Each structure stands twice: as C-alpha cells, then as structure tokens.
Amino acid sequence: MAAKGTKFIHGATPSNIAPTADGKYEVTFTNGSTDVFDTVMAAAGRTADTAGLNLAAVGVEASPKNGKLQCVDEQTNVPYVYAIGDVLQGLPELTPVAIQAGIMLARRMFGGASEAMDYKNIATAVFTPIEYGAIGLSEEEAIEAYGEANLEVYHSEFVPLEWSLSPERETDTYSGFCKVICDKTANMNVVGMHYLGPNAGEVTQGYGVAMKKGFNFRDLSETVGIHPTTSEVFTTLTVTKSSGASAAAAGC
C-alpha cells in the first residue's frame, strides 16, 4: 500500500480533529504532527447492543464498557441464560464462529452431546493487499501459555511464483512469510500456524482440520506438498527462529 502511495503514520494516533474554514479537517497526532484531510474515518470498534434487553433484571452481568458478556461455554453468570456470537467478551467476532457455536450449544442442550465449542483453533484470514491467515496461538500467546524455552518456531520468507512474474510486486522488499509454532514438551505438537501471502483464506482453511484434530511437526514435514503452490512452504520448513539462520527461502 505504501508503494502505491498510501501514507502511513507509525507510532501515533489522532489526538484532535478540527474542521477548517474550507470544509476540510485538520488532524493533530500524538507525536505532535498535523495534517489536513478531506475526509476522516475512525474505526472505533463495536459494542454489543445489550443495553435494551434489561439483562440486569435476571442478574446477567454485562460489561459496562462495551455491553459484552463473559461466558463459559456460551453460559452467562446466570445458569439458564446463554449467548452466542459477537456479544461474547474476548472471543472471535466472526459469523461462522457464531453459527458453529450455536449448533454445538443446541446439540449439548437438546441432543445429549457434551463437546464444547473450540474457540482456539479457528482458521481465519485478513484480506489486506498482502493477505494474512492464522490458526491457533500467536507466538506471544504461545510464550505466555508454554514458556519461550518450551517452544520451537519454524519460519520462512518466500516469493510466491505468481508474484515473481510481476516486477511491480517488489519481491525483494515485500515477500511472503509463514511460521509454525511447536510445543517441544509435547512431541512437537503444532500450536500455531501463520501465513502471509496470496490466498491466505484458502491456505489456512486447508490446515484447519489438522489443527483441530491435533498434529505435530513431523506430520507436517512428512506431508508431500503440491508444487508450485504457496501452501507447500509449510511442508518444507527447516529453519528455526532459535537457530538465528536466515529465514529467506532459496531455490524451488
């Protein structure tokens, strides 16, 4: 985006927005700089529209900050009141997540099932100009959960074949990247997968079942990749972050 002319201001947020005499907006940033814009859009996030439900009448506790509910297996602090979807505090705000959680809740309540919704191993993607996909824990979350000494992180920078055909891609500056986080104390079980490159949603969805069922790094490395694809990079990882070696891929 920067190469196409989008200006980014790093390490600062707007502290003041004031209209100008000619109908524009002067924005002051926390780093002391100012700039003038025709339009200002603010991504302020979402709040849950629970205020009008009178939940307090039955004792349900909603966050005073955003109206969301703290639940365990979709159950609120009141045993007979349940909630699903974006209203849940600290859980993914994704439509397929809400649908699956609702199905599994109905099965537990009316079908004799006992399996709870797995909110951890959900494949998701961000459809930015360079797409990003992830399943499981981030590296920071894994360190917090397992301890840095108990993790092995495999990573690789790579140039997707479709990018290499276009000089405008500036592949020397903007490459693809993938990372696999493994628990060394549990047979190198994979606890997180991360991907930056084309078709991130398709790539991460493909590994979603494996993450949900559980697999280790050997299972991944012994899987034969499809060449030439970007997803096959996961099956050829050899460089660990702890080794200090370059993550840049070489050759085919």
Side-chain angles (χ1 to χ4, degrees), residues 35-49:
D35 208 337
V36 176
F37 303 92
D38 296 320
T39 303
V40 175
M41 295 180 63
R46 290 180 286 177
T47 58
D49 190 16

Side-chain angles (χ1 to χ4, degrees), residues 13-59:
T13 55
S15 59
N16 186 63
I17 301 174
T20 63
D22 57 356
K24 297 184 179 182
Y25 298 92
E26 183 180 63
V27 180
T28 302
F29 296 93
T30 52
N31 62 4
S33 66
T34 61
D35 208 337
V36 176
F37 303 92
D38 296 320
T39 303
V40 175
M41 295 180 63
R46 290 180 286 177
T47 58
D49 190 16
T50 56
L53 299 178
N54 199 22
L55 295 174
V58 293

Side-chain angles (χ1 to χ4, degrees), residues 78-103:
V78 177
Y80 53 84
V81 179
Y82 292 81
I84 60 171
D86 294 3
V87 75
L88 301 185
Q89 182 71 42
L91 295 177
E93 298 180 356
L94 302 166
T95 299
V97 173
I99 293 171
Q100 186 64 27
I103 291 171

Side-chain angles (χ1 to χ4, degrees), residues 100-144:
Q100 186 64 27
I103 291 171
M104 298 188 73
L105 176 60
R107 288 173 180 170
R108 294 199 306 277
M109 296 183 71
F110 307 111
S114 60
E115 186 176 0
M117 175 68 183
D118 177 9
Y119 287 99
K120 182 177 67 173
N121 292 313
I122 296 171
T124 188
V126 181
F127 298 102
T128 40
I130 299 180
E131 296 178 15
Y132 168 70
I135 323 173
L137 302 178
S138 67
E139 188 173 345
E140 293 77 11
E141 290 171 335
I143 290 172
E144 184 177 348

Side-chain angles (χ1 to χ4, degrees), residues 139 142-143 146-155 179-192 217 237-244:
E139 188 173 345
I143 290 172
Y146 299 99
E148 188 170 8
N150 296 322
L151 298 175
E152 193 72 89
V153 178
Y154 289 84
H155 60 172
K179 177 196 293 186
V180 173
I181 306 164
C182 304
D183 178 6
K184 293 193 293 187
T185 69
N187 197 31
M188 294 293 285
N189 282 344
V190 176
V191 298
F217 185 75
L237 291 171
T238 58
V239 177
T240 63
K241 192 173 180 180
S242 61
S243 71

